[in-house]
Amino acid sequence: MQIETLLYKNGSWEVQKSFDLSGDADLVTIFGDTAEFVKKEHFDTLRSRYPRAEIVGCSSSGNILGPEVSQSSLVVTAIKFDSSKVILQSSSFEAGADIGVLSRELACKFDAEGLKHLFLLSDGLNVNGSELVKGFNEATTVTKTGGLAGDGARFEQTWVIANDYAQQYIIAAVGFYGDALTIGSGCYGGWSEFGTHRIITKSDANILYELDGEPALD
């Protein structure tokens, strides 16, 4: 496997690590600050550089580069596999859609033969993440990783790229195929408790209404 990393900062692109995968990458991921992520010219640049790659990514609340949070507005990783292949599928939806049903249907778009892993990215403000994962788990037993799109500290709009310009109300899934492929994952949050312990007295799915009988927002 070969990897090339591109960073967008101070108005220009910088190649940090390069195997010169232009024209030869199989998969390209892009994560970035909302203001830059939605600009069409950035997707056009990536499509021109990697014409045959599956391109997927989302707006974020911090762009990870190696073990650190990058100061770059966009972080792009291009990957060329030795023998494995990747397939990108996506689905758009409307507000109020049944995310469990939608995710099951999206999972069923993938050929089960040889499928080793699914990597999921989704609109972060209009999706119940628990229902999203539940639907995929009901449809297939392969391992899954991924996350919901972010918007810094604003929580106003989240965007996903799936072989097209950035869009809202979209779920993307990348299927990884190949006997030689080994998948690993890790997760670390870093949060610690502070303040008064409270009891949730009213909620609906992932929507919180009350804490200790008082409006949660108050």
Side-chain angles (χ1 to χ4, degrees), residues 33 41 53 56 68 142 146 149 159 171 182:
D33 303 340
E41 58 262 34
V56 65
E68 300 177 346
V142 299
W159 301 80
I171 301 170
T182 300

Side-chain angles (χ1 to χ4, degrees), residues 62-172:
N63 308 319
I64 304 302
L65 179 64
E68 300 177 346
V69 178
S70 174
Q71 297 303 309
S72 303
S73 300
L74 299 171
V75 174
V76 173
T77 302
I79 304 169
K80 175 177 173 53
F81 295 98
D82 296 329
S83 58
S84 303
K85 72 172 183 177
V86 293
I87 294 177
L88 173 63
Q89 302 279 8
S90 64
S91 294
S92 58
F93 62 94
E94 297 180 352
D98 189 323
I99 298 301
V101 171
L102 187 70
S103 59
R104 286 195 299 272
E105 292 175 346
L106 181 54
C108 290
K109 291 183 179 181
F110 291 91
D111 185 351
E113 185 176 355
L115 181 63
K116 296 289 291 291
H117 184 77
L118 286 172
F119 176 66
L120 318 175
L121 292 175
S122 170
D123 183 307
L125 295 180
N126 301 291
V127 165
N128 181 326
S130 296
E131 290 300 312
L132 176 73
V133 173
K134 181 181 178 182
F136 273 96
N137 283 339
E138 290 175 349
T140 176
T141 59
V142 299
T143 57
K144 305 158 194 75
T145 55
L148 302 179
D151 185 32
R154 293 174 293 273
F155 298 93
E156 295 174 354
Q157 297 179 333
T158 59
W159 301 80
V160 173
I161 282 177
N163 279 341
D164 203 346
Y165 299 126
Q167 300 177 57
Q168 296 176 283
Y169 294 95
I170 189 170
I171 301 170

